[in-house]
Amino acid sequence: MPRKSLQTLSEPMYYVLLALTKELYGTEIMNEVRRISGGRINIGPGTLYTMLDKFASNNLIKRTNHSLSTKSYIITDDGKQMLKEEYSRLNTLLNDGQGIVEGL
């Protein structure tokens, strides 16, 4: 059975939603993702804008600045719910594996 789109988030997607808990434009999003992830996650403009389009079409983020030169974005209530669900899912994975991995 195919996986439902956006049922779970990739690591970069998760970090973009985390970053968009405050209003940011493209370069700021890339910088914030890098900062939050401690430099582990670097997202290029092509990947970022593809991701932002997908998030916007699924009502997870909204565009807040409609000028031609700057596009700002922020997470929506649906996006916050998705972020909370993904956070919970990741915590479940950690908890399920904790005793097993620590026993290795």
Side-chain angles (χ1 to χ4, degrees), residues 50-74:
T50 298
M51 196 180 302
L52 293 175
D53 287 343
K54 187 171 189 175
F55 283 161
S57 68
N58 284 278
N59 196 37
L60 300 178
I61 64 169
K62 66 180 177 180
R63 196 166 149 189
T64 55
N65 184 335
H66 297 282
S67 77
L68 294 176
S69 60
T70 307
K71 297 175 185 176
S72 298
Y73 302 88
I74 194 158

PDB file of all heavy atoms in Angstrom, residues 50-74:
ATOM      1  N   THR A  50      10.614  23.817  -3.389  1.00  0.00           N
ATOM      2  CA  THR A  50       9.766  22.664  -3.705  1.00  0.00           C
ATOM      3  C   THR A  50       9.012  22.229  -2.451  1.00  0.00           C
ATOM      4  O   THR A  50       7.809  21.966  -2.481  1.00  0.00           O
ATOM      5  CB  THR A  50      10.614  21.500  -4.257  1.00  0.00           C
ATOM      6  OG1 THR A  50      11.246  21.928  -5.462  1.00  0.00           O
ATOM      7  CG2 THR A  50       9.769  20.274  -4.524  1.00  0.00           C
ATOM      8  N   MET A  51       9.729  22.174  -1.338  1.00  0.00           N
ATOM      9  CA  MET A  51       9.142  21.795  -0.061  1.00  0.00           C
ATOM     10  C   MET A  51       8.089  22.819   0.382  1.00  0.00           C
ATOM     11  O   MET A  51       6.991  22.439   0.826  1.00  0.00           O
ATOM     12  CB  MET A  51      10.259  21.699   0.978  1.00  0.00           C
ATOM     13  CG  MET A  51       9.913  20.966   2.225  1.00  0.00           C
ATOM     14  SD  MET A  51      11.322  20.929   3.392  1.00  0.00           S
ATOM     15  CE  MET A  51      12.592  20.131   2.408  1.00  0.00           C
ATOM     16  N   LEU A  52       8.403  24.105   0.248  1.00  0.00           N
ATOM     17  CA  LEU A  52       7.453  25.140   0.649  1.00  0.00           C
ATOM     18  C   LEU A  52       6.175  25.078  -0.176  1.00  0.00           C
ATOM     19  O   LEU A  52       5.074  25.240   0.366  1.00  0.00           O
ATOM     20  CB  LEU A  52       8.103  26.532   0.527  1.00  0.00           C
ATOM     21  CG  LEU A  52       9.244  26.829   1.496  1.00  0.00           C
ATOM     22  CD1 LEU A  52       9.863  28.180   1.184  1.00  0.00           C
ATOM     23  CD2 LEU A  52       8.795  26.751   2.946  1.00  0.00           C
ATOM     24  N   ASP A  53       6.305  24.819  -1.479  1.00  0.00           N
ATOM     25  CA  ASP A  53       5.114  24.672  -2.330  1.00  0.00           C
ATOM     26  C   ASP A  53       4.260  23.498  -1.875  1.00  0.00           C
ATOM     27  O   ASP A  53       3.028  23.594  -1.815  1.00  0.00           O
ATOM     28  CB  ASP A  53       5.511  24.492  -3.796  1.00  0.00           C
ATOM     29  CG  ASP A  53       6.017  25.778  -4.436  1.00  0.00           C
ATOM     30  OD1 ASP A  53       5.770  26.863  -3.877  1.00  0.00           O
ATOM     31  OD2 ASP A  53       6.661  25.679  -5.499  1.00  0.00           O
ATOM     32  N   LYS A  54       4.918  22.386  -1.543  1.00  0.00           N
ATOM     33  CA  LYS A  54       4.180  21.200  -1.081  1.00  0.00           C
ATOM     34  C   LYS A  54       3.494  21.479   0.251  1.00  0.00           C
ATOM     35  O   LYS A  54       2.335  21.124   0.452  1.00  0.00           O
ATOM     36  CB  LYS A  54       5.135  20.012  -0.954  1.00  0.00           C
ATOM     37  CG  LYS A  54       4.452  18.708  -0.640  1.00  0.00           C
ATOM     38  CD  LYS A  54       5.431  17.553  -0.744  1.00  0.00           C
ATOM     39  CE  LYS A  54       4.693  16.233  -0.648  1.00  0.00           C
ATOM     40  NZ  LYS A  54       5.580  15.099  -0.869  1.00  0.00           N
ATOM     41  N   PHE A  55       4.202  22.121   1.163  1.00  0.00           N
ATOM     42  CA  PHE A  55       3.608  22.473   2.455  1.00  0.00           C
ATOM     43  C   PHE A  55       2.424  23.420   2.269  1.00  0.00           C
ATOM     44  O   PHE A  55       1.382  23.246   2.903  1.00  0.00           O
ATOM     45  CB  PHE A  55       4.647  23.129   3.367  1.00  0.00           C
ATOM     46  CG  PHE A  55       5.617  22.192   4.014  1.00  0.00           C
ATOM     47  CD1 PHE A  55       6.803  22.675   4.526  1.00  0.00           C
ATOM     48  CD2 PHE A  55       5.371  20.833   4.130  1.00  0.00           C
ATOM     49  CE1 PHE A  55       7.711  21.842   5.149  1.00  0.00           C
ATOM     50  CE2 PHE A  55       6.269  19.975   4.746  1.00  0.00           C
ATOM     51  CZ  PHE A  55       7.446  20.480   5.262  1.00  0.00           C
ATOM     52  N   ALA A  56       2.582  24.422   1.428  1.00  0.00           N
ATOM     53  CA  ALA A  56       1.508  25.398   1.209  1.00  0.00           C
ATOM     54  C   ALA A  56       0.286  24.739   0.581  1.00  0.00           C
ATOM     55  O   ALA A  56      -0.851  25.029   0.974  1.00  0.00           O
ATOM     56  CB  ALA A  56       2.001  26.545   0.343  1.00  0.00           C
ATOM     57  N   SER A  57       0.498  23.842  -0.372  1.00  0.00           N
ATOM     58  CA  SER A  57      -0.642  23.185  -1.027  1.00  0.00           C
ATOM     59  C   SER A  57      -1.360  22.228  -0.084  1.00  0.00           C
ATOM     60  O   SER A  57      -2.509  21.867  -0.329  1.00  0.00           O
ATOM     61  CB  SER A  57      -0.193  22.460  -2.300  1.00  0.00           C
ATOM     62  OG  SER A  57       0.621  21.359  -1.998  1.00  0.00           O
ATOM     63  N   ASN A  58      -0.705  21.832   1.010  1.00  0.00           N
ATOM     64  CA  ASN A  58      -1.329  20.978   2.020  1.00  0.00           C
ATOM     65  C   ASN A  58      -1.735  21.776   3.261  1.00  0.00           C
ATOM     66  O   ASN A  58      -2.012  21.195   4.312  1.00  0.00           O
ATOM     67  CB  ASN A  58      -0.380  19.839   2.405  1.00  0.00           C
ATOM     68  CG  ASN A  58      -0.331  18.765   1.352  1.00  0.00           C
ATOM     69  OD1 ASN A  58      -1.198  17.896   1.303  1.00  0.00           O
ATOM     70  ND2 ASN A  58       0.657  18.825   0.476  1.00  0.00           N
ATOM     71  N   ASN A  59      -1.746  23.107   3.141  1.00  0.00           N
ATOM     72  CA  ASN A  59      -2.165  24.015   4.216  1.00  0.00           C
ATOM     73  C   ASN A  59      -1.346  23.858   5.500  1.00  0.00           C
ATOM     74  O   ASN A  59      -1.858  24.061   6.591  1.00  0.00           O
ATOM     75  CB  ASN A  59      -3.666  23.855   4.519  1.00  0.00           C
ATOM     76  CG  ASN A  59      -4.208  25.014   5.324  1.00  0.00           C
ATOM     77  OD1 ASN A  59      -3.805  26.159   5.128  1.00  0.00           O
ATOM     78  ND2 ASN A  59      -5.092  24.724   6.265  1.00  0.00           N
ATOM     79  N   LEU A  60      -0.072  23.493   5.375  1.00  0.00           N
ATOM     80  CA  LEU A  60       0.787  23.376   6.550  1.00  0.00           C
ATOM     81  C   LEU A  60       1.522  24.681   6.836  1.00  0.00           C
ATOM     82  O   LEU A  60       1.930  24.932   7.972  1.00  0.00           O
ATOM     83  CB  LEU A  60       1.796  22.240   6.365  1.00  0.00           C
ATOM     84  CG  LEU A  60       1.181  20.857   6.154  1.00  0.00           C
ATOM     85  CD1 LEU A  60       2.268  19.822   5.926  1.00  0.00           C
ATOM     86  CD2 LEU A  60       0.290  20.468   7.323  1.00  0.00           C
ATOM     87  N   ILE A  61       1.689  25.503   5.800  1.00  0.00           N
ATOM     88  CA  ILE A  61       2.271  26.832   5.944  1.00  0.00           C
ATOM     89  C   ILE A  61       1.462  27.794   5.085  1.00  0.00           C
ATOM     90  O   ILE A  61       0.692  27.358   4.223  1.00  0.00           O
ATOM     91  CB  ILE A  61       3.755  26.884   5.518  1.00  0.00           C
ATOM     92  CG1 ILE A  61       3.906  26.586   4.025  1.00  0.00           C
ATOM     93  CG2 ILE A  61       4.604  25.954   6.374  1.00  0.00           C
ATOM     94  CD1 ILE A  61       5.294  26.879   3.463  1.00  0.00           C
ATOM     95  N   LYS A  62       1.660  29.079   5.336  1.00  0.00           N
ATOM     96  CA  LYS A  62       1.038  30.079   4.460  1.00  0.00           C
ATOM     97  C   LYS A  62       2.061  31.149   4.143  1.00  0.00           C
ATOM     98  O   LYS A  62       2.966  31.429   4.930  1.00  0.00           O
ATOM     99  CB  LYS A  62      -0.218  30.672   5.081  1.00  0.00           C
ATOM    100  CG  LYS A  62       0.030  31.491   6.320  1.00  0.00           C
ATOM    101  CD  LYS A  62      -1.259  32.048   6.888  1.00  0.00           C
ATOM    102  CE  LYS A  62      -0.972  32.811   8.176  1.00  0.00           C
ATOM    103  NZ  LYS A  62      -2.179  33.354   8.762  1.00  0.00           N
ATOM    104  N   ARG A  63       1.897  31.727   2.982  1.00  0.00           N
ATOM    105  CA  ARG A  63       2.740  32.842   2.562  1.00  0.00           C
ATOM    106  C   ARG A  63       2.206  34.096   3.217  1.00  0.00           C
ATOM    107  O   ARG A  63       1.003  34.352   3.206  1.00  0.00           O
ATOM    108  CB  ARG A  63       2.692  32.940   1.040  1.00  0.00           C
ATOM    109  CG  ARG A  63       3.784  33.771   0.469  1.00  0.00           C
ATOM    110  CD  ARG A  63       3.860  33.536  -1.013  1.00  0.00           C
ATOM    111  NE  ARG A  63       4.311  34.761  -1.643  1.00  0.00           N
ATOM    112  CZ  ARG A  63       4.326  34.966  -2.928  1.00  0.00           C
ATOM    113  NH1 ARG A  63       3.903  34.030  -3.750  1.00  0.00           N
ATOM    114  NH2 ARG A  63       4.761  36.096  -3.409  1.00  0.00           N
ATOM    115  N   THR A  64       3.103  34.899   3.778  1.00  0.00           N
ATOM    116  CA  THR A  64       2.660  36.067   4.534  1.00  0.00           C
ATOM    117  C   THR A  64       3.050  37.381   3.879  1.00  0.00           C
ATOM    118  O   THR A  64       2.533  38.413   4.250  1.00  0.00           O
ATOM    119  CB  THR A  64       3.238  36.035   5.964  1.00  0.00           C
ATOM    120  OG1 THR A  64       4.657  35.915   5.879  1.00  0.00           O
ATOM    121  CG2 THR A  64       2.671  34.870   6.745  1.00  0.00           C
ATOM    122  N   ASN A  65       3.971  37.351   2.934  1.00  0.00           N
ATOM    123  CA  ASN A  65       4.395  38.572   2.265  1.00  0.00           C
ATOM    124  C   ASN A  65       4.269  38.330   0.766  1.00  0.00           C
ATOM    125  O   ASN A  65       4.898  37.436   0.233  1.00  0.00           O
ATOM    126  CB  ASN A  65       5.840  38.911   2.636  1.00  0.00           C
ATOM    127  CG  ASN A  65       6.301  40.212   2.050  1.00  0.00           C
ATOM    128  OD1 ASN A  65       5.791  40.673   1.037  1.00  0.00           O
ATOM    129  ND2 ASN A  65       7.289  40.814   2.681  1.00  0.00           N
ATOM    130  N   HIS A  66       3.492  39.127   0.098  1.00  0.00           N
ATOM    131  CA  HIS A  66       3.209  38.894  -1.317  1.00  0.00           C
ATOM    132  C   HIS A  66       3.935  39.851  -2.250  1.00  0.00           C
ATOM    133  O   HIS A  66       3.525  40.041  -3.375  1.00  0.00           O
ATOM    134  CB  HIS A  66       1.699  38.951  -1.568  1.00  0.00           C
ATOM    135  CG  HIS A  66       0.973  37.876  -0.834  1.00  0.00           C
ATOM    136  ND1 HIS A  66       0.942  36.579  -1.260  1.00  0.00           N
ATOM    137  CD2 HIS A  66       0.276  37.907   0.314  1.00  0.00           C
ATOM    138  CE1 HIS A  66       0.248  35.857  -0.410  1.00  0.00           C
ATOM    139  NE2 HIS A  66      -0.173  36.634   0.555  1.00  0.00           N
ATOM    140  N   SER A  67       5.037  40.437  -1.784  1.00  0.00           N
ATOM    141  CA  SER A  67       5.798  41.295  -2.690  1.00  0.00           C
ATOM    142  C   SER A  67       6.525  40.421  -3.707  1.00  0.00           C
ATOM    143  O   SER A  67       6.752  39.241  -3.484  1.00  0.00           O
ATOM    144  CB  SER A  67       6.808  42.147  -1.917  1.00  0.00           C
ATOM    145  OG  SER A  67       7.924  41.380  -1.538  1.00  0.00           O
ATOM    146  N   LEU A  68       6.892  40.983  -4.819  1.00  0.00           N
ATOM    147  CA  LEU A  68       7.559  40.217  -5.868  1.00  0.00           C
ATOM    148  C   LEU A  68       8.975  39.809  -5.471  1.00  0.00           C
ATOM    149  O   LEU A  68       9.479  38.787  -5.929  1.00  0.00           O
ATOM    150  CB  LEU A  68       7.587  41.019  -7.164  1.00  0.00           C
ATOM    151  CG  LEU A  68       6.232  41.290  -7.802  1.00  0.00           C
ATOM    152  CD1 LEU A  68       6.395  42.186  -9.020  1.00  0.00           C
ATOM    153  CD2 LEU A  68       5.554  39.985  -8.185  1.00  0.00           C
ATOM    154  N   SER A  69       9.617  40.589  -4.608  1.00  0.00           N
ATOM    155  CA  SER A  69      11.012  40.312  -4.288  1.00  0.00           C
ATOM    156  C   SER A  69      11.203  39.431  -3.053  1.00  0.00           C
ATOM    157  O   SER A  69      12.211  38.761  -2.933  1.00  0.00           O
ATOM    158  CB  SER A  69      11.777  41.619  -4.104  1.00  0.00           C
ATOM    159  OG  SER A  69      11.210  42.363  -3.046  1.00  0.00           O
ATOM    160  N   THR A  70      10.279  39.450  -2.134  1.00  0.00           N
ATOM    161  CA  THR A  70      10.424  38.694  -0.889  1.00  0.00           C
ATOM    162  C   THR A  70       9.167  37.894  -0.601  1.00  0.00           C
ATOM    163  O   THR A  70       8.072  38.431  -0.610  1.00  0.00           O
ATOM    164  CB  THR A  70      10.689  39.634   0.300  1.00  0.00           C
ATOM    165  OG1 THR A  70      11.803  40.469  -0.008  1.00  0.00           O
ATOM    166  CG2 THR A  70      10.977  38.862   1.550  1.00  0.00           C
ATOM    167  N   LYS A  71       9.357  36.604  -0.341  1.00  0.00           N
ATOM    168  CA  LYS A  71       8.245  35.735   0.036  1.00  0.00           C
ATOM    169  C   LYS A  71       8.518  35.235   1.448  1.00  0.00           C
ATOM    170  O   LYS A  71       9.488  34.531   1.684  1.00  0.00           O
ATOM    171  CB  LYS A  71       8.140  34.551  -0.917  1.00  0.00           C
ATOM    172  CG  LYS A  71       7.849  34.922  -2.342  1.00  0.00           C
ATOM    173  CD  LYS A  71       7.877  33.683  -3.221  1.00  0.00           C
ATOM    174  CE  LYS A  71       7.700  34.067  -4.681  1.00  0.00           C
ATOM    175  NZ  LYS A  71       7.819  32.902  -5.565  1.00  0.00           N
ATOM    176  N   SER A  72       7.650  35.605   2.370  1.00  0.00           N
ATOM    177  CA  SER A  72       7.775  35.144   3.751  1.00  0.00           C
ATOM    178  C   SER A  72       6.729  34.073   4.012  1.00  0.00           C
ATOM    179  O   SER A  72       5.670  34.063   3.383  1.00  0.00           O
ATOM    180  CB  SER A  72       7.574  36.303   4.727  1.00  0.00           C
ATOM    181  OG  SER A  72       8.562  37.276   4.539  1.00  0.00           O
ATOM    182  N   TYR A  73       7.028  33.213   4.964  1.00  0.00           N
ATOM    183  CA  TYR A  73       6.147  32.095   5.278  1.00  0.00           C
ATOM    184  C   TYR A  73       6.058  31.917   6.784  1.00  0.00           C
ATOM    185  O   TYR A  73       6.962  32.300   7.529  1.00  0.00           O
ATOM    186  CB  TYR A  73       6.692  30.790   4.676  1.00  0.00           C
ATOM    187  CG  TYR A  73       6.872  30.838   3.187  1.00  0.00           C
ATOM    188  CD1 TYR A  73       8.054  31.304   2.625  1.00  0.00           C
ATOM    189  CD2 TYR A  73       5.849  30.441   2.336  1.00  0.00           C
ATOM    190  CE1 TYR A  73       8.226  31.362   1.249  1.00  0.00           C
ATOM    191  CE2 TYR A  73       6.020  30.493   0.959  1.00  0.00           C
ATOM    192  CZ  TYR A  73       7.200  30.957   0.422  1.00  0.00           C
ATOM    193  OH  TYR A  73       7.359  31.013  -0.928  1.00  0.00           O
ATOM    194  N   ILE A  74       4.963  31.278   7.222  1.00  0.00           N
ATOM    195  CA  ILE A  74       4.797  30.915   8.633  1.00  0.00           C
ATOM    196  C   ILE A  74       3.927  29.669   8.696  1.00  0.00           C
ATOM    197  O   ILE A  74       3.100  29.423   7.801  1.00  0.00           O
ATOM    198  CB  ILE A  74       4.207  32.080   9.460  1.00  0.00           C
ATOM    199  CG1 ILE A  74       4.380  31.803  10.947  1.00  0.00           C
ATOM    200  CG2 ILE A  74       2.755  32.353   9.079  1.00  0.00           C
ATOM    201  CD1 ILE A  74       4.330  33.045  11.814  1.00  0.00           C
TER     202      ILE A  74
END
